[in-house]
Amino acid sequence: MDFENISPEFRDLVPPNSWVERLHTGMRWTEGPVWFADGQQLIFSDIPNDRMLRWVDGLGAGVFREPSGYSNGNTRDLQGRLVTCEHGQRRLTRTEPDGSVTVLVDRYQGRRLNSPNDVVVKSDGTIWFTDPPYGIIGNYEGYQARMELDGCYVFRLDPVSGELRVVTDRLTRPNGLAFSLDEKTLYVSDSARSHDPQGAHDILALSLSDDATARSQTLFASIEPGLADGFRLDAAGNVWTSAGDGVHCYAPSGKLLGKIHIPETVSNVVFGGRRLNRLFVTATTSVYSVYLAVCGAARPRSAPR
Ligand code: MG
């Protein structure tokens, strides 16, 4: 079966007759799904093939942007504009309504970023992203190059002032990230296990201080098998994360509730569909979807700063 109940609560989160469907295949390593409700379309990256694709409900998939600068994570800002992590140029970009691309940031204190990986937007409009070196360690997902920074940080960018701030430098390979519903906690995964069998495979919960730095850090969940490349929250605050055998669902307490089995290694997920109750899953060569009995957390809307 596609669903595995680990705790009884999981039954309330999945419809009894839902199943995993494969929507598109042929990618080399797909990641970075973002949902555009206005077009009923999913945009996602195919990193080694240096392109982004677009899947439209009822029409199927095609190329959205090629080359894509070896894009990885995607999200939308409060104005609905596409925000993209690019391994190739080691930068964060924004796609404007006229199709032009604006560079948001590519350096920290004069030194090039490693290779921005995943990105989220807070309700105050600030843009938070992770910067591991996966895009520069070889020529498969970008261009091989040396790290200029001393570590792999989680950053917060104020797109109005341009200020770039380090949220934390304590993770080895920061990767996926998402805010708790009240935005007081930032969940960030450490995926060091990807290249080190002894490395971290955890989601950390960072308690944020008023100046947007991490005040404290606690272990939220250790993912087994595999690792948490990317994840999203539902409207009840549960965390739906990638794992080696599919998608795992964790309660806000950190308790594992259940799993969705996916036949390929999962990289990331995003909620979409007409009622935000359809989970889209990027997994190695394919994109899958599954209807859930719970909706995704609402997208942040413009709030006073
Ligand atoms: Mg990632």
Side-chain angles (χ1 to χ4, degrees), residues 31 72 117-118 175-176 229 268:
E31 201 165 343
N72 188 340
N117 188 292
D118 212 344
N175 199 323
D229 192 333
N268 219 325

Side-chain angles (χ1 to χ4, degrees), residues 29 31-32 47 72-73 87 117-118 130 132 134 174-177 189 191 228-230 267-268:
W29 176 261
E31 201 165 343
I47 306 175
N72 188 340
H87 286 180
N117 188 292
D118 212 344
T130 55
Y134 293 124
N175 199 323
L177 71 176
S189 66
S191 59
D229 192 333
S267 63
N268 219 325

Side-chain angles (χ1 to χ4, degrees), residues 34-93:
V34 57
W35 177 249
F36 281 69
D38 37 2
Q40 290 298 302
Q41 63 182 7
L42 184 80
I43 289 176
F44 52 97
S45 299
D46 178 4
I47 306 175
N49 284 326
D50 195 13
R51 61 180 184 169
M52 297 166 78
L53 288 91
R54 170 195 2 226
W55 176 88
V56 185
D57 199 4
L59 292 177
V63 171
F64 170 73
R65 178 181 294 167
E66 186 175 19
S68 63
Y70 289 94
S71 69
N72 188 340
N74 294 288
T75 194
R76 301 179 75 180
D77 68 9
L78 299 187
Q79 290 73 36
R81 296 170 294 193
L82 175 66
V83 175
T84 299
C85 297
E86 293 184 14
H87 286 180
Q89 303 304 319
R90 301 164 70 167
R91 66 188 187 181
L92 203 64
T93 64

